[in-house]
Amino acid sequence: MKSLLVENIKRLVQVEDTPRRWVAGEEMAHLQCVDNAYLLVENGKFAAWGPADQAPQAGVDVRVDARDGLVLPSYCDSHTHLVYAGSREIEYIDKIRGLSYEEIAKRGGGINNSAKRLHEASEDELYSDAMGRIEEIKQRGTGAVEIKSGYGLNTADELKMLRVIRRIKETTPLEVRANFLGAHAVPLEYKGRQREYVDLIINEMIPLVAAEGLADFVDVFCDQGFFTVEDTERILTQGIKYGLRPKIHANELTYSGGIQAGVKYGALSVDHLEFTGDAEIATLKGSETMPTILPGAAFFLGMQLAPARKMIAAGLPIAMASDYNPGSSPSGDMRFIVSLACIQFRLVPEEALNATTLNTAYAMGIEETHGTIAKGKVANFYITHPIPGYEYLPYAYTGQPVKEVYLKGERA
Ligand code: NIG
Ligand code: FE
């Protein structure tokens, strides 16, 4: 048995005695902490913690001095598109000049632009670019990440993307989940023949993706100008038949019906949610679908904000993820998401931390093993530089508070 003891922790944040699946409503404003603490890890799992004077004195393999830093569980980033080729900063200038996301997409920019570049890139190039991004988010405190396909938009390229994600899964200490998003945009060659593209996804892509075991989830961009509720229902039905649980893009551009469709098909999460009204909140209430807000995309595109406070007041849980992608959120920095949660969505720091750890763990289907510091969960955590408290994380909004990262109990 291998053990690791972290000592001199100023504050151990977000410990959990009784693991929960998620936190909702008023409960989101609470974080259980231990001041002046130790943390013991055994065989890559959290084993014990408590006040420093109760720390084990002998029989420990590795001792780590936190030097009065805080210790927090790693972020879980439940929504990214971090496998992509090239970047889209030039197109972003059109956005600055006033073109909307939909207008840029209609001109063959946007997702189709990334699809063209992905087509030209080799699997090795995609893998090494994506691993650069993985390294970057790892050093900023992310320990688990969901990655979507959706820049392929034809069978061969969608499979290529998913194989890259599989290779990332096999070679990084981060916990990775793959999401098949063939229905990200209608490819240019299918313009005016959207139904045929949906048929291709259903009849060809999903069976092949499932046959190779390349995805955990199925996704659809269910929104105005992209895929309809009918398209979405057809794709989700087939995905479910092939063992893929839905996690979908919904209500970013209008009241698309995506939230209702997601809940109806048992989606693990519905993501974006800028257009969420009373009907959508009522649908989400009592469901097992995690409402997930993507503050980075709303910030970068200057969109109206999802009504996070109203949703929490209604007793809902909220998750927040980075949406790391080249078009609408070219950053995977989850600490900045915590800042945006507080600055723009008026969450308190405790709510923001719950939204980016336990609730995103649920939105990736890994809440039993990740998302908090609980006995038996995977020891993914980070030690901060000496900072006054966790409230400092959202406050210092360009800060780099992470000093050391541990994944599966090992220095990463
Ligand atoms: O989540 N909304 C749809 N898809 C992505 C954007 C992808 C892109 O523009 O490349 C998103 O924001
Ligand atoms: Fe997205």
Side-chain angles (χ1 to χ4, degrees):
M1 184 173 72
K2 189 173 175 209
S3 58
L4 178 137
L5 177 68
V6 189
E7 298 173 290
N8 297 320
I9 302 172
K10 176 174 178 156
R11 197 163 212 207
L12 180 64
V13 181
Q14 215 178 2
V15 295
E16 221 183 12
D17 296 317
T18 314
R20 298 153 299 173
R21 298 175 75 197
W22 64 69
V23 277
E26 284 176 7
E27 212 193 333
M28 283 192 71
H30 297 284
L31 282 181
Q32 198 186 329
C33 300
V34 183
D35 289 326
N36 192 13
Y38 79 91
L39 173 65
L40 181 69
V41 172
E42 285 172 355
N43 292 332
K45 308 264 172 69
F46 294 121
W49 62 81
D53 57 10
Q54 292 172 21
Q57 293 308 314
V60 174
D61 300 317
V62 182
R63 284 175 182 266
V64 174
D65 187 349
R67 293 174 183 266
D68 228 19
L70 272 50
V71 169
L72 294 99
S74 301
Y75 298 112
C76 298
D77 192 350
S78 61
H79 182 136
T80 82
H81 311 244
L82 68 70
V83 172
Y84 59 83
S87 52
R88 307 217 308 262
E89 68 282 357
I90 301 304
E91 187 180 288
Y92 180 64
I93 298 166
D94 288 338
K95 283 192 194 99
I96 295 173
R97 294 211 165 103
L99 286 195
S100 73
Y101 188 67
E102 284 166 287
E103 284 164 336
I104 289 170
K106 278 207 181 100
R107 288 180 162 196
I111 295 164
N112 272 296
N113 185 359
S114 286
K116 188 169 155 272
R117 299 214 200 168
L118 184 123
H119 179 71
E120 289 155 5
S122 71
E123 245 177 81
D124 284 345
E125 284 164 348
L126 290 170
Y127 171 77
S128 87
D129 285 359
M131 284 303 277
R133 293 175 199 122
I134 290 279
E135 189 55 33
E136 170 202 323
I137 65 172
K138 184 176 86 184
Q139 294 311 335
R140 289 175 191 227
T142 296
V145 64
E146 181 254 33
I147 312 173
K148 300 170 195 297
S149 70
Y151 292 126
L153 307 184
N154 63 57
T155 305
D157 288 336
E158 283 296 311
L159 292 173
K160 174 166 92 173
M161 272 193 94
L162 289 167
R163 290 188 192 116
V164 171
I165 299 170
R166 178 171 62 193
R167 197 164 149 199
I168 296 170
K169 215 185 231 190
E170 288 165 357
T171 52
T172 175
L174 275 81
E175 192 67 23
V176 176
R177 291 291 179 274
N179 192 346
F180 167 61
L181 175 57
H184 197 190
V186 178
L188 294 177
E189 58 275 24
Y190 278 86
K191 214 169 172 195
R193 297 188 292 132
Q194 176 150 342
R195 195 177 170 88
E196 283 174 49
Y197 182 61
V198 173
D199 288 341
L200 181 77
I201 291 173
I202 291 173
N203 299 325
E204 190 173 287
M205 294 191 199
I206 290 177
L208 288 172
V209 168
E212 267 190 68
L214 288 171
D216 304 290
F217 306 118
V218 61
D219 201 333
V220 177
F221 188 5
C222 180
D223 230 317
Q224 181 175 300
F226 289 84
F227 293 88
T228 65
V229 168
E230 195 204 337
D231 296 333
T232 304
E233 295 198 339
R234 291 180 63 215
I235 293 167
L236 299 189
T237 301
Q238 179 78 331
I240 290 166
K241 197 174 134 202
Y242 280 86
L244 306 176
R245 180 128 188 227
K247 255 174 80 65
I248 70 170
H249 285 74
N251 297 49
E252 175 183 6
L253 306 171
T254 189
Y255 294 97
S256 64
I259 293 177
Q260 285 86 345
V263 171
K264 181 172 163 194
Y265 285 81
L268 194 49
S269 71
V270 285
D271 302 22
H272 273 295
L273 314 186
E274 279 73 10
F275 291 83
T276 300
D278 293 339
E280 285 75 15
I281 289 176
T283 304
L284 286 161
K285 201 73 211 280
S287 77
E288 303 245 305
T289 299
M290 178 61 67
T292 301
I293 295 172
L294 309 171
F299 172 68
F300 188 76
L301 298 179
M303 289 188 294
Q304 73 171 64
L305 302 181
R309 282 257 59 97
K310 193 173 166 187
M311 294 161 82
I312 294 173
L316 289 177
I318 293 286
M320 288 190 170
S322 77
D323 198 14
Y324 197 172
N325 78 77
S328 66
S329 187
S331 163
D333 187 339
M334 287 294 277
R335 199 216 42 78
F336 185 58
I337 296 302
V338 170
S339 288
L340 290 176
C342 297
I343 297 166
Q344 296 207 290
F345 291 83
R346 309 193 69 79
L347 267 56
V348 293
E350 293 82 357
E351 292 171 324
L353 287 168
N354 276 314
T356 48
T357 53
L358 179 57
N359 285 358
T360 37
Y362 176 82
M364 303 176 58
I366 59 169
E367 76 284 1
E368 286 180 9
T369 48
H370 294 77
T372 57
I373 296 177
K375 200 168 175 201
K377 280 196 179 186
V378 176
N380 283 4
F381 63 95
Y382 60 91
I383 302 173
T384 70
H385 291 290
I387 55 173
Y390 60 71
E391 300 85 350
Y392 191 83
L393 297 173
Y395 162 82
Y397 69 92
T398 58
Q400 284 290 3
V402 176
K403 191 177 77 174
E404 285 175 27
V405 172
Y406 290 81
L407 296 176
K408 299 179 178 159
E410 303 272 344
R411 181 80 191 265

